[in-house]
Amino acid sequence: MFKVSRKSEYALIAVQHMARRARDGVTSVAELAQAENIPPDILAKVLQGLKRAGLLTAAKGAGGGYRLSRPVQEIQFLDVVRPFEEQLSVVTCQNDHGGCDRGGDCTLRDPMKVLNAFVLRQFSNLTMDMFLSPHKLVHHARADVTIAESALHRWSAEADVAG
Amino acid sequence: MFKVSRKSEYALIAVQHMARRARDGVTSVAELAQAENIPPDILAKVLQGLKRAGLLTAAKGAGGGYRLSRPVQEIQFLDVVRPFEEQLSVVTCQNDHGGCDRGGDCTLRDPMKVLNAFVLRQFSNLTMDMFLSPHKLVHHARADVTIAESALHRWSAEADVAG
DNA sequence: TGAACGCGGACCAATTCGGTCCTGATTCAA
DNA sequence: TTGAATCAGGACCGAATTGGTCCGCGTTCA
Ligand code: SF4
Ligand code: SF4
């Protein structure tokens, strides 16, 4: 249930690559495809997707290519992946375009909503620089909060508000 | 990328249902299917799957049905879902049957491994009783550790060990 | 003895996914 | 000015997955 699509992987690799060869930045599809061993055609679409998402800027013509539009520390994991994942929710009813054919009396709806919110929140703190430098250490190693506890906490908070 | 399969949802609903009507426990497929508005045929398979996973016990014959084989607090979310999700990893190379056609020089492999381990660890603390009682509150609301920090911490720890 | 029930294989239609191909637009450089 | 390099993106394909149905079998209890 957690698996990212292949396109997402390509996207992550691409961002990784372009961040490393940060030199003065511009990288063509062909160049990247060969360097990272990715089918050029599909990589092209992936990069187009990233551009549409605002993560890359494109330069056409000879000598052109793509360039990261902002520093890698400011790019979230979810930003990179989102264009290639039809939905990021745990459950279809939690989606924007979000209908569920089943009747409205689903006992799973509420807990899943809480779970979904928590998961997304966790992931939203993942930035792409972590995929580059293992030594970029965070020393704030705090207590080992699990989804279980946090989810429960939030849920009960909501339940209190609701009555 | 997080979406659970429909079968998993049915499984979760089923466990929920059987835990609520804990009375003396036994519930037939037809009964459950009607009560929760689930196609009986497919629900049958779902329950079979849960039985194979050891979560349910079955009683054949007239008056038979399924019964939870252990208290709901001891059933993990992942236990319920696992039989219906072909892989629980973020990435295919991280799987048991786990080949990736791409060459062995994937720059995404290591960070994904860390991420995957963390996600699974988080989810392994989710038990099914949380899907029932919002008031089963945990007061240990500790610091707001994110995947980001913990993942980085573990990764760098591994990096230290590795050299 | 027969109805209620679990067991499980065969099958199906729709969707998704990874990937290829091909046809433009641009733009720079020779 | 020409043409190669490069992005842009639609059309298409085969394979796999998914959600679901159907049907026949074995078991067990009333
Ligand atoms: S309403 Fe229930 S069955 Fe439908 S998508 Fe939401 S959780 Fe799943
Ligand atoms: S090796 Fe790389 S491309 Fe292959 S599954 Fe693992 S992370 Fe993805």
Side-chain angles (χ1 to χ4, degrees), chain A residues 4 6 9-10 13, chain B residues 91-94 99-104 106-110 112:
Chain A
V4 301
R6 205 51 171 261
E9 291 194 316
Y10 291 153
I13 291 173
Chain B
V91 122
T92 58
C93 64
Q94 202 59 25
C100 174
D101 34 345
R102 305 199 340 117
C106 181
T107 59
L108 203 57
R109 192 101 125 261
D110 287 349
M112 285 310 234

Side-chain angles (χ1 to χ4, degrees), chain B:
Chain B
M1 61 176 282
F2 303 109
K3 195 176 132 195
V4 302
S5 75
R6 206 52 172 261
K7 289 180 189 173
S8 293
E9 291 193 314
Y10 292 153
L12 290 166
I13 293 173
V15 171
Q16 251 189 348
H17 183 104
M18 298 180 72
R20 284 227 179 78
R21 327 264 161 129
R23 10 174 226 188
D24 56 346
V26 62
T27 315
S28 78
V29 171
E31 194 181 335
L32 181 48
Q34 196 198 2
E36 298 286 356
N37 189 28
I38 299 175
D41 287 308
I42 194 173
L43 178 60
K45 305 224 158 146
V46 167
L47 296 188
Q48 283 169 35
L50 290 178
K51 183 208 166 187
R52 271 191 288 263
L55 291 170
L56 302 180
T57 57
K60 292 185 183 179
Y66 289 98
R67 180 194 313 257
L68 288 178
S69 59
R70 42 184 155 121
V72 68
Q73 309 87 9
E74 299 174 14
I75 302 180
Q76 292 184 1
F77 172 86
L78 286 183
D79 292 335
V80 179
V81 149
R82 187 175 295 118
F84 313 104
E85 308 287 336
E86 80 291 11
Q87 75 169 346
L88 285 179
S89 339
V90 175
V91 122
T92 58
C93 64
Q94 202 59 25
N95 198 4
D96 300 332
H97 325 300
C100 174
D101 34 345
R102 305 199 340 117
D105 58 338
C106 181
T107 59
L108 203 57
R109 192 101 125 261
D110 287 349
M112 285 310 234
K113 180 174 178 179
V114 174
L115 181 57
N116 188 60
F118 189 86
V119 170
L120 285 185
R121 178 143 158 277
Q122 290 288 83
F123 270 81
S124 70
N125 284 79
L126 254 192
T127 53
M128 287 307 294
D129 56 326
M130 303 176 189
F131 286 76
L132 295 172
S133 49
H135 294 296
K136 193 157 200 168
L137 182 72
V138 175
H139 285 287
H140 299 259
R142 285 178 268 173
D144 229 354
V145 163
T146 63
I147 282 182
E149 290 162 314
S150 276
L152 262 185
H153 185 248
R154 295 192 67 189
W155 189 2
S156 57
E158 288 177 14
D160 285 350
V161 171

Side-chain angles (χ1 to χ4, degrees), chain A residues 1 89-94 106-120 151 155, chain B residues 2-5 8-10 12-13 16 77 81 85 123 126 128 130-131:
Chain A
M1 60 174 286
S89 340
V90 174
V91 122
T92 58
C93 64
Q94 201 60 24
C106 181
T107 59
L108 203 57
R109 192 101 126 260
D110 287 348
M112 284 311 232
K113 180 175 179 179
V114 174
L115 182 57
N116 189 60
F118 189 87
V119 171
L120 286 185
W155 189 3
Chain B
F2 303 109
K3 195 176 132 195
V4 302
S5 75
S8 293
E9 291 193 314
Y10 292 153
L12 290 166
I13 293 173
Q16 251 189 348
F77 172 86
V81 149
E85 308 287 336
F123 270 81
L126 254 192
M128 287 307 294
M130 303 176 189
F131 286 76

Side-chain angles (χ1 to χ4, degrees), chain A:
Chain A
M1 60 174 286
F2 304 109
K3 194 176 132 196
V4 301
S5 74
R6 205 51 171 261
K7 288 180 189 173
S8 292
E9 291 194 316
Y10 291 153
L12 291 166
I13 291 173
V15 171
Q16 251 190 348
H17 183 103
M18 297 179 73
R20 284 226 180 77
R21 327 266 162 127
R23 8 173 226 189
D24 56 347
V26 62
T27 315
S28 78
V29 171
E31 194 182 336
L32 182 48
Q34 195 198 1
E36 298 286 357
N37 189 29
I38 298 175
D41 286 310
I42 194 173
L43 178 61
K45 305 225 159 151
V46 167
L47 295 188
Q48 284 169 35
L50 290 178
K51 184 209 166 188
R52 271 192 289 263
L55 290 170
L56 302 180
T57 58
K60 291 185 183 179
Y66 289 97
R67 182 194 312 257
L68 288 178
S69 60
R70 43 183 155 122
V72 67
Q73 309 86 10
E74 299 173 13
I75 301 179
Q76 292 184 3
F77 172 85
L78 285 183
D79 293 334
V80 180
V81 148
R82 186 174 296 117
F84 312 105
E85 308 288 336
E86 81 289 13
Q87 76 168 346
L88 285 178
S89 340
V90 174
V91 122
T92 58
C93 64
Q94 201 60 24
N95 198 5
D96 301 331
H97 323 300
C100 175
D101 34 343
R102 304 198 343 116
D105 58 339
C106 181
T107 59
L108 203 57
R109 192 101 126 260
D110 287 348
M112 284 311 232
K113 180 175 179 179
V114 174
L115 182 57
N116 189 60
F118 189 87
V119 171
L120 286 185
R121 178 145 159 274
Q122 290 289 84
F123 270 83
S124 70
N125 283 78
L126 253 192
T127 53
M128 287 307 295
D129 57 325
M130 303 177 189
F131 285 76
L132 296 171
S133 48
H135 294 296
K136 192 158 201 168
L137 182 72
V138 175
H139 285 288
H140 300 258
R142 287 178 263 171
D144 227 355
V145 161
T146 63
I147 282 183
E149 289 163 315
S150 278
L152 261 187
H153 185 248
R154 295 192 69 190
W155 189 3
S156 57
E158 288 178 11
D160 284 350
V161 171

